[in-house]
PDB file of all heavy atoms in Angstrom:
ATOM      1  N   PRO A 772     -33.334 -61.049 -30.077  1.00 98.00           N
ATOM      2  CA  PRO A 772     -34.773 -61.102 -30.353  1.00 98.00           C
ATOM      3  C   PRO A 772     -35.131 -60.636 -31.765  1.00 98.00           C
ATOM      4  O   PRO A 772     -36.108 -61.139 -32.345  1.00 98.00           O
ATOM      5  CB  PRO A 772     -35.373 -60.176 -29.291  1.00 98.00           C
ATOM      6  CG  PRO A 772     -34.254 -59.312 -28.830  1.00 98.00           C
ATOM      7  CD  PRO A 772     -33.024 -60.143 -28.955  1.00 98.00           C
ATOM      8  N   ALA A 773     -34.362 -59.696 -32.326  1.00 98.00           N
ATOM      9  CA  ALA A 773     -34.657 -59.263 -33.693  1.00 98.00           C
ATOM     10  C   ALA A 773     -34.544 -60.434 -34.660  1.00 98.00           C
ATOM     11  O   ALA A 773     -35.401 -60.625 -35.535  1.00 98.00           O
ATOM     12  CB  ALA A 773     -33.711 -58.135 -34.098  1.00 98.00           C
ATOM     13  N   VAL A 774     -33.502 -61.248 -34.510  1.00 98.00           N
ATOM     14  CA  VAL A 774     -33.281 -62.366 -35.422  1.00 98.00           C
ATOM     15  C   VAL A 774     -34.311 -63.468 -35.189  1.00 98.00           C
ATOM     16  O   VAL A 774     -34.911 -63.989 -36.146  1.00 98.00           O
ATOM     17  CB  VAL A 774     -31.851 -62.919 -35.261  1.00 98.00           C
ATOM     18  CG1 VAL A 774     -31.659 -64.169 -36.110  1.00 98.00           C
ATOM     19  CG2 VAL A 774     -30.823 -61.859 -35.638  1.00 98.00           C
ATOM     20  N   VAL A 775     -34.541 -63.839 -33.940  1.00 98.00           N
ATOM     21  CA  VAL A 775     -35.493 -64.924 -33.679  1.00 98.00           C
ATOM     22  C   VAL A 775     -36.913 -64.492 -34.023  1.00 98.00           C
ATOM     23  O   VAL A 775     -37.706 -65.287 -34.549  1.00 98.00           O
ATOM     24  CB  VAL A 775     -35.382 -65.401 -32.219  1.00 98.00           C
ATOM     25  CG1 VAL A 775     -36.425 -66.483 -31.933  1.00 98.00           C
ATOM     26  CG2 VAL A 775     -33.983 -65.947 -31.953  1.00 98.00           C
ATOM     27  N   ASN A 776     -37.264 -63.236 -33.761  1.00 98.00           N
ATOM     28  CA  ASN A 776     -38.578 -62.757 -34.192  1.00 98.00           C
ATOM     29  C   ASN A 776     -38.731 -62.863 -35.704  1.00 98.00           C
ATOM     30  O   ASN A 776     -39.815 -63.169 -36.213  1.00 98.00           O
ATOM     31  CB  ASN A 776     -38.790 -61.309 -33.750  1.00 98.00           C
ATOM     32  CG  ASN A 776     -39.300 -61.200 -32.327  1.00 98.00           C
ATOM     33  OD1 ASN A 776     -39.809 -62.164 -31.753  1.00 98.00           O
ATOM     34  ND2 ASN A 776     -39.166 -60.022 -31.733  1.00 98.00           N
ATOM     35  N   ALA A 777     -37.649 -62.619 -36.443  1.00 98.00           N
ATOM     36  CA  ALA A 777     -37.702 -62.746 -37.900  1.00 98.00           C
ATOM     37  C   ALA A 777     -37.910 -64.200 -38.308  1.00 98.00           C
ATOM     38  O   ALA A 777     -38.713 -64.492 -39.215  1.00 98.00           O
ATOM     39  CB  ALA A 777     -36.419 -62.188 -38.522  1.00 98.00           C
ATOM     40  N   VAL A 778     -37.204 -65.111 -37.676  1.00 98.00           N
ATOM     41  CA  VAL A 778     -37.378 -66.532 -37.982  1.00 98.00           C
ATOM     42  C   VAL A 778     -38.810 -66.965 -37.703  1.00 98.00           C
ATOM     43  O   VAL A 778     -39.454 -67.643 -38.523  1.00 98.00           O
ATOM     44  CB  VAL A 778     -36.375 -67.382 -37.176  1.00 98.00           C
ATOM     45  CG1 VAL A 778     -36.681 -68.875 -37.336  1.00 98.00           C
ATOM     46  CG2 VAL A 778     -34.946 -67.081 -37.605  1.00 98.00           C
ATOM     47  N   MET A 779     -39.337 -66.562 -36.560  1.00 98.00           N
ATOM     48  CA  MET A 779     -40.711 -66.938 -36.218  1.00 98.00           C
ATOM     49  C   MET A 779     -41.720 -66.280 -37.149  1.00 98.00           C
ATOM     50  O   MET A 779     -42.748 -66.872 -37.496  1.00 98.00           O
ATOM     51  CB  MET A 779     -41.004 -66.564 -34.771  1.00 98.00           C
ATOM     52  CG  MET A 779     -40.253 -67.412 -33.742  1.00 98.00           C
ATOM     53  SD  MET A 779     -40.516 -69.187 -34.014  1.00 98.00           S
ATOM     54  CE  MET A 779     -42.305 -69.286 -33.893  1.00 98.00           C
ATOM     55  N   ASP A 780     -41.452 -65.054 -37.562  1.00 98.00           N
ATOM     56  CA  ASP A 780     -42.347 -64.372 -38.495  1.00 98.00           C
ATOM     57  C   ASP A 780     -42.418 -65.113 -39.827  1.00 98.00           C
ATOM     58  O   ASP A 780     -43.475 -65.161 -40.473  1.00 98.00           O
ATOM     59  CB  ASP A 780     -41.849 -62.942 -38.704  1.00 98.00           C
ATOM     60  CG  ASP A 780     -42.804 -62.090 -39.518  1.00 98.00           C
ATOM     61  OD1 ASP A 780     -43.985 -61.984 -39.120  1.00 98.00           O
ATOM     62  OD2 ASP A 780     -42.382 -61.531 -40.543  1.00 98.00           O
ATOM     63  N   ALA A 781     -41.304 -65.713 -40.220  1.00 98.00           N
ATOM     64  CA  ALA A 781     -41.291 -66.490 -41.456  1.00 98.00           C
ATOM     65  C   ALA A 781     -42.045 -67.805 -41.312  1.00 98.00           C
ATOM     66  O   ALA A 781     -42.720 -68.256 -42.252  1.00 98.00           O
ATOM     67  CB  ALA A 781     -39.843 -66.758 -41.880  1.00 98.00           C
ATOM     68  N   LEU A 782     -41.938 -68.430 -40.145  1.00 98.00           N
ATOM     69  CA  LEU A 782     -42.451 -69.799 -39.980  1.00 98.00           C
ATOM     70  C   LEU A 782     -43.844 -69.872 -39.361  1.00 98.00           C
ATOM     71  O   LEU A 782     -44.532 -70.893 -39.495  1.00 98.00           O
ATOM     72  CB  LEU A 782     -41.484 -70.597 -39.106  1.00 98.00           C
ATOM     73  CG  LEU A 782     -40.064 -70.765 -39.646  1.00 98.00           C
ATOM     74  CD1 LEU A 782     -39.227 -71.582 -38.683  1.00 98.00           C
ATOM     75  CD2 LEU A 782     -40.082 -71.425 -41.020  1.00 98.00           C
ATOM     76  N   ARG A 783     -44.274 -68.827 -38.681  1.00 97.00           N
ATOM     77  CA  ARG A 783     -45.552 -68.881 -37.969  1.00 97.00           C
ATOM     78  C   ARG A 783     -46.731 -69.201 -38.883  1.00 97.00           C
ATOM     79  O   ARG A 783     -47.626 -69.977 -38.500  1.00 97.00           O
ATOM     80  CB  ARG A 783     -45.772 -67.568 -37.215  1.00 97.00           C
ATOM     81  CG  ARG A 783     -46.812 -67.668 -36.118  1.00 97.00           C
ATOM     82  CD  ARG A 783     -46.930 -66.362 -35.365  1.00 97.00           C
ATOM     83  NE  ARG A 783     -45.867 -66.185 -34.369  1.00 97.00           N
ATOM     84  CZ  ARG A 783     -44.913 -65.284 -34.463  1.00 97.00           C
ATOM     85  NH1 ARG A 783     -44.851 -64.479 -35.513  1.00 97.00           N
ATOM     86  NH2 ARG A 783     -44.002 -65.165 -33.526  1.00 97.00           N
ATOM     87  N   PRO A 784     -46.780 -68.668 -40.111  1.00 95.00           N
ATOM     88  CA  PRO A 784     -47.903 -69.037 -40.993  1.00 95.00           C
ATOM     89  C   PRO A 784     -47.974 -70.518 -41.330  1.00 95.00           C
ATOM     90  O   PRO A 784     -49.018 -71.020 -41.753  1.00 95.00           O
ATOM     91  CB  PRO A 784     -47.635 -68.201 -42.262  1.00 95.00           C
ATOM     92  CG  PRO A 784     -46.831 -67.040 -41.783  1.00 95.00           C
ATOM     93  CD  PRO A 784     -45.950 -67.593 -40.706  1.00 95.00           C
ATOM     94  N   LEU A 785     -46.862 -71.228 -41.134  1.00 96.00           N
ATOM     95  CA  LEU A 785     -46.849 -72.679 -41.391  1.00 96.00           C
ATOM     96  C   LEU A 785     -47.313 -73.467 -40.173  1.00 96.00           C
ATOM     97  O   LEU A 785     -47.369 -74.700 -40.229  1.00 96.00           O
ATOM     98  CB  LEU A 785     -45.438 -73.127 -41.772  1.00 96.00           C
ATOM     99  CG  LEU A 785     -44.825 -72.450 -43.009  1.00 96.00           C
ATOM    100  CD1 LEU A 785     -43.409 -72.949 -43.229  1.00 96.00           C
ATOM    101  CD2 LEU A 785     -45.686 -72.683 -44.238  1.00 96.00           C
ATOM    102  N   GLY A 786     -47.615 -72.773 -39.086  1.00 96.00           N
ATOM    103  CA  GLY A 786     -48.061 -73.450 -37.879  1.00 96.00           C
ATOM    104  C   GLY A 786     -46.971 -73.673 -36.849  1.00 96.00           C
ATOM    105  O   GLY A 786     -47.211 -74.309 -35.820  1.00 96.00           O
ATOM    106  N   VAL A 787     -45.787 -73.153 -37.083  1.00 97.00           N
ATOM    107  CA  VAL A 787     -44.687 -73.310 -36.135  1.00 97.00           C
ATOM    108  C   VAL A 787     -44.930 -72.403 -34.933  1.00 97.00           C
ATOM    109  O   VAL A 787     -45.153 -71.193 -35.091  1.00 97.00           O
ATOM    110  CB  VAL A 787     -43.335 -72.973 -36.797  1.00 97.00           C
ATOM    111  CG1 VAL A 787     -42.202 -73.000 -35.769  1.00 97.00           C
ATOM    112  CG2 VAL A 787     -43.051 -73.949 -37.930  1.00 97.00           C
ATOM    113  N   LYS A 788     -44.888 -72.960 -33.733  1.00 96.00           N
ATOM    114  CA  LYS A 788     -45.155 -72.203 -32.507  1.00 96.00           C
ATOM    115  C   LYS A 788     -43.886 -71.642 -31.872  1.00 96.00           C
ATOM    116  O   LYS A 788     -43.911 -70.591 -31.246  1.00 96.00           O
ATOM    117  CB  LYS A 788     -45.870 -73.093 -31.486  1.00 96.00           C
ATOM    118  CG  LYS A 788     -47.199 -73.666 -31.973  1.00 96.00           C
ATOM    119  CD  LYS A 788     -48.211 -72.567 -32.276  1.00 96.00           C
ATOM    120  CE  LYS A 788     -49.562 -73.161 -32.658  1.00 96.00           C
ATOM    121  NZ  LYS A 788     -50.533 -72.102 -33.060  1.00 96.00           N
ATOM    122  N   ASP A 789     -42.773 -72.367 -32.010  1.00 96.00           N
ATOM    123  CA  ASP A 789     -41.529 -71.900 -31.400  1.00 96.00           C
ATOM    124  C   ASP A 789     -40.368 -72.679 -31.998  1.00 96.00           C
ATOM    125  O   ASP A 789     -40.534 -73.828 -32.455  1.00 96.00           O
ATOM    126  CB  ASP A 789     -41.559 -72.105 -29.880  1.00 96.00           C
ATOM    127  CG  ASP A 789     -40.401 -71.403 -29.176  1.00 96.00           C
ATOM    128  OD1 ASP A 789     -39.900 -70.394 -29.716  1.00 96.00           O
ATOM    129  OD2 ASP A 789     -39.984 -71.856 -28.093  1.00 96.00           O
ATOM    130  N   VAL A 790     -39.202 -72.060 -31.996  1.00 98.00           N
ATOM    131  CA  VAL A 790     -37.946 -72.723 -32.337  1.00 98.00           C
ATOM    132  C   VAL A 790     -36.953 -72.332 -31.261  1.00 98.00           C
ATOM    133  O   VAL A 790     -36.704 -71.140 -31.045  1.00 98.00           O
ATOM    134  CB  VAL A 790     -37.400 -72.310 -33.720  1.00 98.00           C
ATOM    135  CG1 VAL A 790     -36.083 -73.027 -34.002  1.00 98.00           C
ATOM    136  CG2 VAL A 790     -38.415 -72.609 -34.811  1.00 98.00           C
TER     137      VAL A 790
END
Side-chain angles (χ1 to χ4, degrees):
V774 174
V775 177
N776 276 342
V778 172
M779 290 307 302
D780 187 56
L782 299 180
R783 198 177 280 112
L785 301 178
V787 174
K788 301 298 184 184
D789 191 27
V790 179

